[in-house]
Amino acid sequence: MSVDARSHQHSPGPARRRPVQQRSQERYGRILDACAGLLDEVGATALTTKEVAQRAQVPIGTLYQFFAGKEDLLAALATRNLDHYLQRLDARLAGSAPLGPAGFTDLAVEEFVAMKRAVPGFGQVDFGLAGTAAPAGMRDETHLLDAGVDNNTAVALRLQALGGELFETGDPAATTLALRVALEAADAVLKLAFRGDPQGDPALITECKRLVRGYLAQQLPTG
């Protein structure tokens, strides 16, 4: 089953209009690529839709055909990042021996770290705003992925679906909560790991894995 088929039922709705034709899809992707590149240069607060359109070499009106404004643009980038992350993780899982929750956790952290190191803009916007300050005028940066739930809950639901039987404990809501708490903890440790090292402090990355493994082993003992 594909990652898309396993996604949860909430709709993030970041884009004003989803591209259908190939030319529109190419422009849409180019706009998001430009946004990601500029985020590394100026940050989320200073980012403007005008600069993104100029970098993407599209008229500003074309950008607004797809995105209502900067918030929608950042939400679409966060959504694309999450989709790519889950696709990469799914490929890693498919190429590995049968894994328990501990092995799943290690691969999940490793893929996040790999994207943090290599994907443009990921340090500013991963699956939500990675920094502490939201741009002025943004309604709620904690709901970039989904208007109905916070970012880490949205990610937890997608990971829960991806993990399938690994996370079938008889209480799906409790599993979602445990994964959400694990994500919050991992976020904090990985922010610390990358605070003084652009490649991430290896010792702190190892501790992140150990922390999340230990917590999930207690909360999901049947996995």
Side-chain angles (χ1 to χ4, degrees):
M1 187 182 297
S2 69
V3 170
D4 289 341
R6 288 190 288 252
S7 63
H8 66 93
Q9 295 180 350
H10 292 285
S11 175
R16 174 173 283 186
R17 178 172 70 84
R18 290 289 187 181
V20 177
Q21 297 181 345
Q22 182 176 351
R23 183 181 179 187
S24 294
Q25 291 175 348
E26 189 274 333
R27 285 183 171 180
Y28 184 89
R30 202 161 76 230
I31 290 169
L32 290 183
D33 289 342
C35 177
L38 280 166
L39 281 169
D40 284 334
E41 297 174 19
V42 304
T45 301
L47 184 79
T48 68
T49 54
K50 180 180 179 181
E51 289 176 323
V52 172
Q54 290 175 342
R55 175 69 62 90
Q57 297 183 326
V58 299
I60 189 67
T62 298
L63 184 149
Y64 282 118
Q65 287 177 3
F66 299 123
F67 308 101
K70 185 164 77 170
E71 182 175 353
D72 282 356
L73 185 59
L74 295 176
L77 181 62
T79 298
R80 186 176 75 166
N81 283 343
L82 178 57
D83 288 342
H84 286 180
Y85 169 75
L86 291 168
Q87 290 162 6
R88 290 167 57 130
L89 180 56
D90 198 24
R92 289 283 301 275
L93 292 168
S96 302
L99 295 171
F104 183 98
T105 294
D106 284 356
L107 290 183
V109 172
E110 288 169 11
E111 279 306 312
F112 184 88
V113 168
M115 291 185 70
K116 193 88 167 174
R117 290 170 174 166
V119 174
F122 200 78
Q124 294 286 328
V125 174
D126 41 46
F127 314 138
L129 288 179
T132 56
M138 180 168 285
R139 295 188 301 271
D140 188 352
E141 73 275 14
T142 65
H143 287 71
L144 279 182
L145 291 171
D146 192 316
V149 297
D150 64 84
N151 296 330
N152 274 338
T153 299
V155 177
L157 287 164
R158 297 287 296 272
L159 286 173
Q160 186 173 348
L162 181 62
E165 62 185 15
L166 289 177
F167 299 125
E168 289 180 358
T169 63
D171 187 348
T175 299
T176 302
L177 178 61
L179 289 172
R180 180 187 177 192
V181 171
L183 285 165
E184 294 284 354
D187 276 350
V189 178
L190 290 176
K191 282 178 182 177
L192 180 61
F194 281 88
R195 185 176 299 164
D197 185 344
Q199 294 300 305
D201 184 319
L204 286 171
I205 292 169
T206 297
E207 286 303 295
C208 177
K209 292 179 182 179
R210 191 163 70 92
L211 174 67
V212 174
R213 283 199 307 262
Y215 171 74
L216 290 180
Q218 288 184 330
Q219 299 302 312
L220 309 173
T222 61

